[in-house]
Amino acid sequence: MALSEKAQATREKIIAAAAELFYRNGYHATGLDKVIRRAGVTKGNFYYHFPSKEALAIATLDWQYERFSTEIREQVLSRRGNALEALLNLLNYMAGRQKKQHEEGQILGCYFGNFALELSSVSPAVRDKVNAVFASYAELIEKLLRHARKKGLISESLDPGQLAPVILGQIEGAILLDKARHQPGNFDQSIEFIRNYLESS
Amino acid sequence: MALSEKAQATREKIIAAAAELFYRNGYHATGLDKVIRRAGVTKGNFYYHFPSKEALAIATLDWQYERFSTEIREQVLSRRGNALEALLNLLNYMAGRQKKQHEEGQILGCYFGNFALELSSVSPAVRDKVNAVFASYAELIEKLLRHARKKGLISESLDPGQLAPVILGQIEGAILLDKARHQPGNFDQSIEFIRNYLESS
DNA sequence: ATAACAACCGACCAGTCAGTCTGTCGTATC
DNA sequence: GATACGACAGACTGACTGGTCGGTTGTTAT
């Protein structure tokens, strides 16, 4: 088990390096050699841990999902406030990430959205994984909307089940536009729009 | 000029082949050899017309923009109806394209959105081009909203300049989600949402 | 006829791609 | 001390990458 811990650390080093490079340059534009050099690992070692580059991609998706989920849980959902505030805090938190990236040089977008567009028409495995991630986030939004509705924070006429994917799509689209524009702004505007819609329907 | 016409035809053959392959498999996943084989053209001929693969990508973006713009103009905007109906027709027309793709096998998404996410953090030239395309579409939406507002079809309280990018983002996001889900549906739901919002604000 | 040039041909290049293979090292078990 | 195995090393493969280059064609102007 002592060795297994070291192996686990190696595995994570590879995933972390790959996630960074995939995020920055895209999947196809990132060679395996770059990944293993950055991870400080050899070819043989890589293929001991992963059967293929595609498997690595999926591992990074799982890893990022896990990281991002706990980040949200700790930084956003743990804060006190009602369900509607929690939802808006979540959106603002993500917008803040965008802005931070912009200050650091460039907006890299949504890790899952990037993979969705680059690979989902070419790799079913990646598509399924990305899809599961989106479904999970839509579910979170739906849950918050349901709570908000139950507490009377948003109108009874709003359908959380229908609204949640719309909001998720709005977010992904705003991130895409901000990445293309190389400047944040669409995201904030979308949040403002959603907030206004939810509060005045 | 007779030769120039033939050369122009060759150039367009290359662009058409590349656009199809880039759309289907992505930019990096598409080798130049595949492009020239599909276009029925040789390597030398290709590099006579284009200085690089990146330049080809930009040419396809221009080409697709031109094609799609005239398609919209002829199929959607020429039909009679007020500005609000025109906007909704436009959205429904795009949703119809999605559905057709789905019936043909798989949803390929938005050509510009795909490039935006795969290349805009890596190629400034592509980013600028995609950005110009988005700006143009946002402008079209804004124009329709302004007309609709002037005619009293939508509320005075709605700001076309702010709303247009939000709607564009909503569309791009819905397409992304549909592509990831391998199934249309989000697009229609988004249209329904937008329609409802515009008519009842 | 010939010169000039636009358009095209395809062999070739160095480099990179994902992936394979043989082998080694350290540790744990017997 | 031998055996076994998990973890790693890295040279190597063949296919493919984007891109180059010397040469050929077809047409047009002189």
Side-chain angles (χ1 to χ4, degrees):
Chain A
M1 273 305 138
L3 276 186
S4 184
E5 264 175 41
K6 195 190 170 205
Q8 192 56 38
T10 301
R11 193 184 137 90
E12 186 151 345
K13 259 198 312 184
I14 295 171
I15 291 176
E20 167 74 18
L21 291 170
F22 289 164
Y23 195 24
R24 196 145 237 113
N25 307 318
Y27 174 76
H28 280 113
T30 303
L32 235 28
D33 284 349
K34 297 250 178 69
V35 172
I36 65 172
R37 201 179 316 143
R38 186 181 185 106
V41 152
T42 59
K43 228 13 174 342
N45 197 359
F46 170 80
Y47 275 100
Y48 175 77
H49 287 284
F50 301 94
S52 68
K53 191 188 179 186
E54 190 186 18
L56 171 62
I58 290 172
T60 65
L61 288 168
D62 277 325
W63 188 73
Q64 291 278 49
Y65 173 73
E66 222 57 57
R67 260 165 52 111
F68 191 55
S69 295
T70 64
E71 201 178 316
I72 289 174
R73 215 178 302 122
E74 291 170 2
Q75 305 283 328
V76 183
L77 301 180
S78 67
R79 283 192 268 169
R80 63 162 153 259
N82 63 43
L84 180 57
E85 284 164 0
L87 176 58
L88 294 171
N89 281 342
L90 173 59
L91 300 184
N92 280 315
Y93 180 74
M94 290 173 67
R97 284 173 122 248
Q98 285 290 91
K99 277 176 221 153
K100 199 170 135 205
Q101 281 186 8
H102 178 247
E103 282 158 19
E104 286 167 8
Q106 63 186 352
I107 294 170
L108 300 172
C110 167
Y111 194 77
F112 310 106
N114 294 357
F115 268 88
L117 287 202
E118 188 177 353
L119 288 176
S120 73
S121 66
V122 124
S123 161
V126 166
R127 173 160 51 74
D128 289 348
K129 180 58 70 179
V130 168
N131 199 24
V133 170
F134 282 147
S136 158
Y137 288 136
E139 215 170 304
L140 171 59
I141 295 172
E142 185 180 340
K143 204 185 73 185
L144 292 172
L145 287 173
R146 270 205 313 272
H147 280 215
R149 197 167 92 135
K150 200 176 288 177
K151 294 276 163 88
L153 299 165
I154 63 173
S155 161
E156 282 284 336
S157 66
L158 299 177
D159 179 347
Q162 289 203 329
L163 207 50
V166 171
I167 290 176
L168 181 60
Q170 180 71 62
I171 292 168
E172 286 294 327
I175 293 177
L176 187 153
L177 257 34
D178 279 346
K179 183 173 173 179
R181 283 188 57 219
H182 212 227
Q183 202 168 290
N186 285 293
F187 204 143
D188 280 337
Q189 216 158 318
S190 287
I191 293 175
E192 195 52 34
F193 172 78
I194 292 168
R195 196 181 58 76
N196 183 52
Y197 178 80
L198 291 177
E199 289 177 350
S200 71
S201 274
Chain B
M1 273 305 139
L3 275 187
S4 183
E5 264 175 39
K6 197 190 169 206
Q8 192 55 38
T10 302
R11 193 185 137 90
E12 185 151 347
K13 260 199 311 185
I14 296 170
I15 291 176
E20 167 75 18
L21 291 170
F22 288 163
Y23 194 25
R24 197 147 236 110
N25 308 317
Y27 173 77
H28 281 113
T30 303
L32 274 183
D33 284 349
K34 299 249 178 69
V35 173
I36 64 171
R37 202 180 315 143
R38 184 180 187 106
V41 151
T42 59
K43 220 35 173 325
N45 199 359
F46 170 79
Y47 275 99
Y48 176 77
H49 286 284
F50 300 95
S52 68
K53 191 188 180 188
E54 190 187 19
L56 171 63
I58 290 172
T60 67
L61 288 168
D62 277 326
W63 189 72
Q64 292 277 49
Y65 173 73
E66 221 58 57
R67 259 165 54 109
F68 191 55
S69 295
T70 66
E71 201 178 318
I72 290 175
R73 215 178 303 124
E74 291 170 3
Q75 306 283 328
V76 183
L77 301 181
S78 67
R79 282 193 268 170
R80 61 162 153 260
N82 64 44
L84 179 57
E85 284 163 0
L87 176 58
L88 294 170
N89 282 341
L90 174 59
L91 300 184
N92 280 315
Y93 180 74
M94 290 174 67
R97 286 173 121 248
Q98 286 288 92
K99 277 177 217 149
K100 199 171 136 206
Q101 281 187 8
H102 178 245
E103 282 158 18
E104 287 166 6
Q106 63 187 352
I107 293 170
L108 300 173
C110 167
Y111 193 77
F112 310 106
N114 294 358
F115 268 88
L117 288 203
E118 187 177 352
L119 288 177
S120 73
S121 66
V122 124
S123 160
V126 167
R127 174 162 50 75
D128 289 348
K129 179 60 70 180
V130 169
N131 198 23
V133 170
F134 282 147
S136 158
Y137 288 136
E139 213 170 304
L140 170 61
I141 295 173
E142 185 180 339
K143 203 185 74 185
L144 291 171
L145 287 174
R146 269 206 313 271
H147 280 212
R149 197 168 91 137
K150 200 177 289 178
K151 293 273 164 87
L153 300 164
I154 61 173
S155 163
E156 281 284 335
S157 67
L158 298 177
D159 179 346
Q162 289 203 328
L163 208 49
V166 170
I167 291 176
L168 181 61
Q170 181 71 59
I171 292 168
E172 286 295 325
I175 293 177
L176 186 153
L177 256 35
D178 280 346
K179 182 173 176 180
R181 283 189 56 218
H182 213 228
Q183 203 169 290
N186 284 294
F187 204 143
D188 280 337
Q189 217 158 316
S190 286
I191 292 176
E192 195 52 36
F193 172 78
I194 291 168
R195 196 181 61 74
N196 184 52
Y197 178 80
L198 290 177
E199 289 176 350
S200 71
S201 274

